[in-house]
Amino acid sequence: MPDTAQANVPFAIATYDPDRLRAALRKMYLIRKFEEGAEDSYTRGLIHGTMHLSIGQEASAVASCMALTDDDKITSTHRGHGHCVAKGADVARMFAEFFGKEEGYCRGRGGSMHIADVEKGNLGANGIVGGGLPIAVGAALSAKRLGTGAVTVCFFGDGANNEGAFHEALNMAAIWKLPVVFVCENNKYGMSTSTERSTAVANIADRAAAYAMPGVTVDGNDFSEVAEAVETAVARARRGEGPSLIENVTYRWRGHSKSDRNRYRTKDEIAGWVKKDPIARMGAMLVTHGIMAEEDIAAMETDVDDEIAEAIEFARSGTDPDPAEVTRDVHTDRAA
Amino acid sequence: MNAAAGVRTREMSYAEAIRDAMDIALTEDERVVLMGEDIGVYGGAFQVTGDLVERHGPDRVIDTPISELGGAGVAVGAAMTGLRPILEFQFSDFATLAMEQIVNQAAKVRYMLGGAVSVPVVMRFPAGSGTGAAAQHSQSLEAWLGHVPGLKVVQPTTPEDAKGMLLAALDDPDPVMIFEHKLLYKLKGQVPEGRYTTPLDKAVVRRAGDAVTVVASGIMVHKALEAAGQLAEDGIEAEVIDLRSVRPIDRETILESVRKTGRLLCVYEAVKTLGIGAEISAMVAESDAFDFLDAPIVRLGGAECPIPYNPDLEKAAVPQIADILDAARALATGRR
């Protein structure tokens, strides 16, 4: 790790080459525009069901995956589109899943809440709050037993930190010194209930002390801060020193899901967080440090818009599953 | 129940047969790990794992904290990423603490992900009443799990099957739930040496007869065989079918027997209502075998109450040999 304090250069700038930084910003745009496209498709009645948007949280997803390779794993949440893109998923196949098509990551069986991309190490979003926590510990147990060297980053929200699964998972990861990094995306509310009302400790990272692991709270909308915290934790995990807990403080601009009427927070509060837009901040950082010019960013946005439009078209023209195959993949076909 | 000709057998208890299967699996396959509460130096609550920790070490015979939900989730995550975990629950009742991971995750992950992963996890559940452990340590919950697509649920009743079905479960790419009746652990029987597998989807006729079909599961197979022996003294030949698999149910073996006998008695220890007996009765009623019935189907199941502590009450809460005898005799002799 470079010493960045001296030169006052952000960790990310000092650590990653310009190509990776540009790719990271592009992924953040891809997440934002994917979700805007999904929201628009939903509003226009093109897709059904529900979805949980992470608009405003893109730095947390992308920066948390900077330390990972395709061999490393993540577990994700119901608000998981960002994690999926950050780990390398193709937005066309993600849209195809939203549209319930065979070309989707889950062949249209999972939808928004179950998108996974196993080849890229994404073990899946999860419809159960806290459901992915012990699964991440299991993936880390595999890595340790099989000696793969892989690290698992376990994403979860502030709501999950009050589930029993959170406590059981952190404890087991700690006693067995497993290579897992718990990344809490604290967006302040579990549906409508604020962390102040739901959680006894001031910071979720404070709970790390109960499981004898490092815990750190960072500005989740600051790409560089998140990347530094996760790199540190991943390096510790790779050294065999065990798990860490990182709390990325962030905010979802949209409601919890499509049913949310936003009665529990003020317009001022939302507007205040919109000003802390993680994508704008990342762009500004890259411009300040000469990685990109404003025009480059504008061109990148246009490029992402095109990719999204193509992806939606791919999804719309996808193949509908055959109702006769409704029980397919309940079990593994052993003949295959 | 004779092993194939030429195969050496050895007398073992049901518990020893399970341990033998796990010993073979641990020896042959590096991916196999055992997980559970006090399965290490303690040897397991029912001494099933015994000395396996001494032979295979604490990294493969893993004592977990008392965290059933977390433990189940770790097993699921490990199974998704390359290990072959066998998770022992101390009592099957504690499955209630882990239902989230069993029902929402283990059973559904493959389907939700459109077949992108398999979850080859084996869970073992010491089940049933008769030990004076009362309501929270004596339940028979196999039908609960049998209701969930994605799970395979079996109840081996002999040492030979206990070993063969556990090895089959480990070969299976999907989650297999094994319910082991606690009172069977000390049951002795001839068990083939070395590796062999017993199908997870086949019932077996334990005693042939033509007067009445008795479909029994778990320990009730032994009670039904006792009853059948007594009935034979009166010239009534009952056919006793050991269900073995709750999900999937071996439809053909049952229907074939009912077509022959025209009379069906279902015997199971779990609470009678909405249980295995209801499923088997409905299956027969919906089939051509219905036309062969000469009498209404009879179900004998557990009483509509928790398992009580007092020994006489405990016996009164589950079918006994005398109950089976009476019911089978009444059916066979046409006294309705």
Side-chain angles (χ1 to χ4, degrees):
Chain A
M1 300 276 156
D3 179 11
T4 57
Q6 207 74 4
N8 208 19
V9 172
F11 170 88
I13 300 294
T15 306
Y16 305 121
D17 67 43
D19 283 346
R20 288 198 68 198
L21 289 166
R22 284 189 285 266
L25 179 63
R26 192 177 188 285
K27 275 187 180 172
M28 290 166 75
Y29 274 118
L30 204 52
I31 295 168
R32 173 78 51 94
K33 290 172 186 291
F34 172 84
E35 292 200 327
E36 287 171 349
E39 189 175 38
D40 179 61
S41 300
Y42 181 88
T43 307
R44 288 199 282 144
L46 298 175
I47 53 182
H48 77 156
T50 190
M51 64 183 71
H52 306 86
L53 302 175
S54 66
I55 292 173
Q57 305 184 180
E58 296 87 350
S60 173
V62 177
S64 294
C65 291
M66 291 299 285
L68 306 181
T69 71
D70 286 356
D71 294 329
D72 294 316
K73 312 291 185 201
I74 65 167
T75 60
S76 176
T77 71
H78 58 286
R79 203 174 305 287
H81 312 140
H83 310 142
C84 198
V85 172
K87 199 69 173 64
D90 172 4
V91 288
R93 290 192 63 198
M94 289 175 68
F95 269 121
E97 188 57 35
F98 271 66
F99 280 73
K101 304 291 187 179
E102 282 285 344
E103 290 81 359
Y105 273 107
C106 310
R107 309 177 65 114
R109 272 68 167 178
S112 163
M113 260 188 290
H114 302 297
I115 295 187
D117 180 10
V118 178
E119 280 176 26
K120 288 277 168 64
N122 177 1
L123 298 177
N126 210 303
I128 304 297
V129 171
L133 279 142
I135 292 175
V137 176
L141 179 69
S142 283
K144 184 166 181 175
R145 274 259 4 113
L146 300 171
T148 65
V151 170
T152 302
V153 164
C154 171
F155 288 103
F156 58 101
D158 47 281
N161 104 102
N162 293 315
E163 289 279 10
F166 165 88
H167 298 273
E168 295 186 16
L170 265 69
N171 184 58
M172 279 188 276
I175 58 173
W176 296 330
K177 279 195 167 19
L178 295 178
V180 54
V181 178
F182 298 100
V183 174
C184 179
E185 299 186 309
N186 178 359
N187 62 17
K188 306 289 206 174
Y189 297 90
M191 272 183 85
S192 68
T193 308
S194 67
T195 50
E196 287 78 11
R197 291 170 60 213
S198 69
T199 302
V201 290
N203 299 301
I204 289 163
D206 295 348
R207 292 199 156 153
Y211 304 105
M213 66 176 76
V216 58
T217 301
V218 301
D219 178 350
N221 285 8
D222 184 321
F223 178 89
S224 187
E225 262 198 45
V226 173
E228 183 169 11
V230 179
E231 290 276 6
T232 303
V234 167
R236 174 182 148 86
R238 290 205 205 281
R239 290 194 304 269
E241 292 171 20
S244 306
L245 171 60
I246 295 165
E247 176 184 12
N248 295 339
V249 178
T250 184
Y251 198 82
R252 58 169 157 78
W253 295 3
R254 299 294 197 269
H256 161 73
S257 69
K258 302 314 296 178
S259 66
D260 191 337
R261 289 175 294 169
N262 258 324
R263 284 180 163 183
Y264 51 89
R265 49 187 199 176
T266 64
K267 284 180 178 156
D268 282 353
E269 180 183 300
I270 298 169
W273 277 94
V274 170
K275 284 186 194 141
K276 301 178 196 169
D277 180 3
I279 299 184
R281 289 169 68 184
M282 172 72 162
M285 179 175 78
L286 298 190
V287 170
T288 300
H289 292 277
I291 310 285
M292 292 182 84
E294 298 282 2
E295 312 85 79
D296 300 333
I297 293 177
M300 176 182 279
E301 273 205 66
T302 308
D303 184 50
V304 170
D305 286 335
D306 292 345
E307 182 174 345
I308 294 295
E310 281 169 30
I312 291 175
E313 202 38 54
F314 171 81
R316 289 189 69 170
S317 60
T319 315
D320 289 320
D322 178 356
E325 290 198 337
V326 69
T327 59
R328 181 198 165 109
D329 292 325
V330 170
H331 292 294
T332 306
D333 181 1
R334 301 184 72 176
Chain B
M1 275 187 285
N2 295 322
V7 175
R8 286 165 58 93
T9 65
R10 192 154 59 88
E11 188 179 74
M12 279 185 212
S13 71
Y14 186 97
E16 287 164 346
I18 295 167
R19 188 183 318 144
D20 189 36
M22 294 193 289
D23 191 26
I24 290 169
L26 285 162
T27 304
E28 288 181 353
D29 188 345
E30 268 300 308
R31 301 172 302 169
V32 173
V33 294
L34 312 189
M35 296 174 54
E37 294 161 9
D38 306 294
I39 65 167
V41 290
Y42 194 96
F46 295 96
Q47 293 300 312
V48 176
T49 47
D51 63 350
L52 289 176
V53 71
E54 284 148 45
R55 282 188 258 170
H56 299 281
D59 290 340
R60 298 188 68 203
V61 181
I62 305 169
D63 274 327
T64 66
I66 302 175
S67 301
E68 286 82 7
L69 171 63
V74 171
V76 169
M80 288 170 68
T81 52
L83 291 181
R84 292 273 180 164
I86 304 173
L87 178 67
E88 174 179 302
F89 281 77
Q90 209 155 69
F91 288 83
S92 69
D93 311 69
F94 305 162
T96 55
L97 291 153
M99 285 304 256
E100 196 287 288
Q101 285 292 332
I102 298 171
V103 175
N104 293 321
Q105 314 293 344
K108 294 180 175 57
V109 164
R110 178 174 176 78
Y111 187 85
M112 292 190 299
L113 269 52
V117 289
S118 293
V119 188
V121 66
V122 178
M123 299 191 189
R124 296 182 35 245
F125 300 96
S129 68
T131 63
Q136 296 170 338
H137 291 73
S138 303
Q139 295 169 85
S140 300
L141 300 177
E142 55 278 353
W144 276 35
L145 298 189
H147 191 67
V148 183
L151 301 180
K152 293 172 184 171
V153 182
V154 298
Q155 290 180 281
T157 65
T158 67
E160 179 180 350
D161 280 2
K163 177 179 171 181
M165 292 175 96
L166 180 51
L167 287 168
L170 276 168
D171 279 351
D172 199 284
D174 298 316
V176 180
M177 311 286 115
I178 304 179
F179 283 80
E180 302 161 357
H181 200 290
K182 282 163 270 180
L183 297 185
L184 294 178
Y185 281 134
K186 291 192 169 136
L187 178 80
K188 300 249 185 195
Q190 287 296 317
V191 175
E193 293 192 344
R195 159 177 282 281
Y196 65 94
T197 58
T198 305
L200 299 174
D201 58 357
K202 292 278 183 290
V204 61
V205 176
R206 294 290 186 201
R207 181 187 176 111
D210 55 14
V212 55
T213 297
V214 182
V215 179
S217 74
I219 197 162
M220 291 300 153
V221 171
H222 298 279
K223 292 188 177 179
L225 286 169
E226 282 278 332
Q230 293 182 36
L231 281 173
E233 291 170 14
D234 299 339
I236 299 170
E237 289 298 336
E239 180 146 298
V240 178
I241 296 177
D242 177 352
L243 186 65
R244 292 206 291 197
S245 173
V246 174
R247 185 179 193 91
I249 288 179
D250 178 2
R251 180 185 151 88
E252 214 26 66
T253 299
I254 294 168
L255 296 188
E256 192 183 313
S257 178
V258 171
R259 287 184 203 111
K260 179 172 71 174
T261 65
R263 293 172 167 84
L264 174 62
L265 171 64
C266 302
V267 193
Y268 48 107
E269 179 169 323
V271 172
K272 179 178 167 184
T273 303
L274 294 167
I276 294 169
E279 185 57 39
I280 293 171
S281 303
M283 206 180 73
V284 170
E286 287 174 337
S287 77
D288 69 286
F290 179 76
D291 294 334
F292 292 80
L293 286 177
D294 294 324
I297 296 167
V298 175
R299 289 179 294 156
L300 283 180
E304 305 296 321
C305 62
I307 299 293
Y309 169 67
N310 172 285
D312 293 331
L313 290 179
E314 188 179 20
K315 283 197 184 74
V318 299
Q320 300 299 321
I321 294 170
D323 302 319
I324 302 171
L325 197 55
D326 289 349
R329 192 194 308 275
L331 258 177
T333 56
R335 288 190 290 105
R336 296 183 202 171

